[in-house]
Amino acid sequence: MSLFDILKKDKQGSGKCNKVKIPAFVKQSGVKCKEFSFEAIKTEVLDAMVEGKPELIPTLTPSNYYASKASYLLARVYYLPDYSKIMMNITYYVADQPRHSTIYREISYDIMKKICERFGQYI
């Protein structure tokens, strides 16, 4: 075992993120994406929120990426141009490395509208 092997193993383990299956909808052509960053919360609370009560997602505190690079949540919202289908995934980042990712969850137009309004975007 050489020094390069040790460094290689350490680098791989430092930014480990759980693998989440990407649905076919996200890969479709014509699907648009918006990204929003929020203040970090515990991953257990985040998972419970996304799986059980997605209507609480707009209550998360918006964050400025440049002010809080240490840890933040990045929400990616994938949608069709007519908003007939909307899916969301939230990833927890620490020092710009993904640490935890939620499942892709279908959300309603009202939830997306509230999230956009929190960031000054009106749809």
Side-chain angles (χ1 to χ4, degrees):
M1 181 182 272
S2 71
L3 177 65
F4 296 111
D5 292 334
I6 294 170
L7 294 175
K8 192 176 194 181
K9 284 183 183 177
D10 187 37
K11 187 176 180 182
Q12 289 174 347
S14 63
K16 193 131 180 141
C17 182
N18 58 329
K19 297 290 181 183
V20 176
K21 185 178 178 191
I22 300 172
F25 169 74
V26 172
K27 298 177 184 177
Q28 252 177 221
S29 66
V31 172
K32 296 184 177 192
C33 178
K34 284 186 181 266
E35 293 184 345
F36 305 99
S37 68
F38 296 101
E39 292 292 328
I41 59 173
K42 292 182 180 179
T43 55
E44 299 85 24
V45 175
L46 178 63
D47 285 338
M49 187 182 293
V50 170
E51 292 176 17
K53 295 192 174 208
E55 61 272 1
L56 293 178
I57 294 170
T59 63
L60 293 171
T61 307
S63 95
N64 180 352
Y65 166 77
Y66 298 103
S68 59
K69 279 188 191 179
S71 64
Y72 62 95
L73 299 173
L74 182 66
R76 289 186 180 96
V77 180
Y78 300 93
Y79 61 96
L80 291 173
D82 64 351
Y83 303 106
S84 59
K85 185 168 183 175
I86 305 167
M87 293 192 89
M88 176 181 226
N89 171 267
I90 301 176
T91 306
Y92 173 61
Y93 283 88
V94 175
D96 286 337
Q97 296 295 321
R99 299 293 178 158
H100 180 78
S101 189
T102 63
I103 60 170
Y104 284 82
R105 170 83 181 201
E106 193 163 343
I107 60 171
S108 68
Y109 172 76
D110 292 331
I111 293 173
M112 181 179 174
K113 184 177 175 181
K114 288 178 185 176
I115 292 170
C116 289
E117 285 174 355
R118 295 279 309 220
F119 289 87
Q121 301 174 11
Y122 298 96
I123 56 172

